[in-house]
Amino acid sequence: MASKNGPLVAVRGLSVAYGSRTVLENIDLDVGPCEIVTLIGPNGAGKTTLVKSVLGLVQPSSGTITLRPGLTVGYMPQRLQVERTLPLTVRRFLTLWQKVGRADLEKVLVEVGAAHVIDSAVQTLSGGELQRVLLARALLRRPDILVLDEPVQAVDVHGQIELFNLIAEIRRTRGCGVLLVSHDLHLVMARTDTVVCVNRHICCSGRPEDVSRHPEYLAMFGRHAEALAVYQHSHDHHHDCAGEVVALAEVRHRHG
């Protein structure tokens, strides 16, 4: 069991195989409170399988996944398909899985910037509006950790920037951890604490600017890899749950 001050999620030696095909091999991963950890890697690298293993949807072949006792997870899936002829409003969609009071429903939609679509049919939403509604659904669980699989897919570049900023703001205001899967490297690098580059195994991990210069990262994404990560953020410090800057030396002292 994880200690009270330990990580929200601790993955050790995780491997997943389907028959003779190995999808993930010997994965170690931690996600702490208030931390944004982003998984990057090519298509078919095993990122979604890793997320589903953490969620308990995929059975590992070996290794362990330890969740902090009592952990509440808010999950935003990679894709959602709704039958176009099904009369389903956003209000109804968000209350299908749990009872939610009107005030709480309106509050969370305001938080994600989607209050205006509460009575709209889900099928009529734009890509950005749908992603905000899915994020609202995850937040209704009052999660300790958000697990977001490609949260900005089908969203234009401006909308992607806004969504990543929103995720960072939710981390700051709610104090939750975030495990994020993304292909949007040029945006992710500026809005995450730790990047984990996955291609069946962990190729490299660490601070965004360090990963962007790592030989295995460059080999995986080619000579344009650093150009994809041009918007960087100084990581000579850490942000606490309130968003305040804490020097790395102080962080290391706190965590021993």
Side-chain angles (χ1 to χ4, degrees), residues 189-246:
M189 289 297 183
R191 293 164 177 82
T192 189
D193 301 305
T194 301
V195 173
V196 180
C197 191
V198 178
N199 192 8
R200 194 176 74 174
H201 66 284
I202 292 180
C203 303
C204 53
S205 63
R207 296 181 302 174
E209 65 273 23
D210 293 336
V211 169
S212 70
R213 294 189 293 265
H214 194 281
E216 290 203 46
Y217 171 88
L218 295 173
M220 185 180 300
F221 291 103
R223 63 188 181 89
H224 299 297
E226 285 191 284
L228 290 171
V230 291
Y231 183 41
Q232 297 183 357
H233 175 68
S234 174
H235 276 261
D236 58 351
H237 60 273
H238 173 80
H239 296 279
D240 62 18
C241 288
E244 299 297 326
V245 171
V246 180

Side-chain angles (χ1 to χ4, degrees), residues 3 18 23 68 86 136 148 156 168 170 179 189 202 208 210 219 232:
S3 69
Y18 300 122
V23 180
R68 178 178 289 187
L86 184 67
L148 311 175
D156 62 29
I170 288 169
L179 178 60
M189 289 297 183
I202 292 180
D210 293 336
Q232 297 183 357

Side-chain angles (χ1 to χ4, degrees), residues 36-151:
I36 299 179
V37 176
T38 301
L39 305 177
I40 63 172
N43 288 332
K47 303 183 299 297
T48 295
T49 299
L50 176 53
V51 163
K52 288 183 176 180
S53 297
V54 169
L55 293 170
L57 302 175
V58 169
Q59 181 65 39
S61 304
S62 61
T64 62
I65 300 171
T66 305
L67 306 181
R68 178 178 289 187
L71 186 77
T72 301
V73 178
Y75 174 49
M76 182 174 169
Q78 187 177 114
R79 294 181 181 87
L80 174 73
Q81 292 187 346
V82 178
E83 173 59 46
R84 294 200 62 82
T85 60
L86 184 67
L88 185 65
T89 66
V90 168
R91 184 193 304 275
R92 176 62 178 149
F93 171 72
L94 291 177
T95 56
L96 282 175
W97 295 271
Q98 57 187 317
K99 291 184 178 180
V100 183
R102 181 182 180 89
D104 288 339
L105 189 61
E106 292 177 347
K107 182 178 179 180
V108 77
L109 284 172
V110 168
E111 182 178 5
V112 301
H116 62 290
V117 301
I118 188 169
D119 292 315
S120 299
V122 172
Q123 299 91 331
T124 67
L125 302 181
S126 69
E129 288 170 340
L130 179 58
Q131 296 307 95
R132 289 171 185 268
V133 169
L134 291 176
L135 182 56
R137 183 179 70 164
L139 291 174
L140 283 170
R141 290 182 54 81
R142 296 183 174 88
D144 303 302
I145 184 170
L146 278 172
V147 179
L148 311 175
D149 195 353
E150 296 285 1

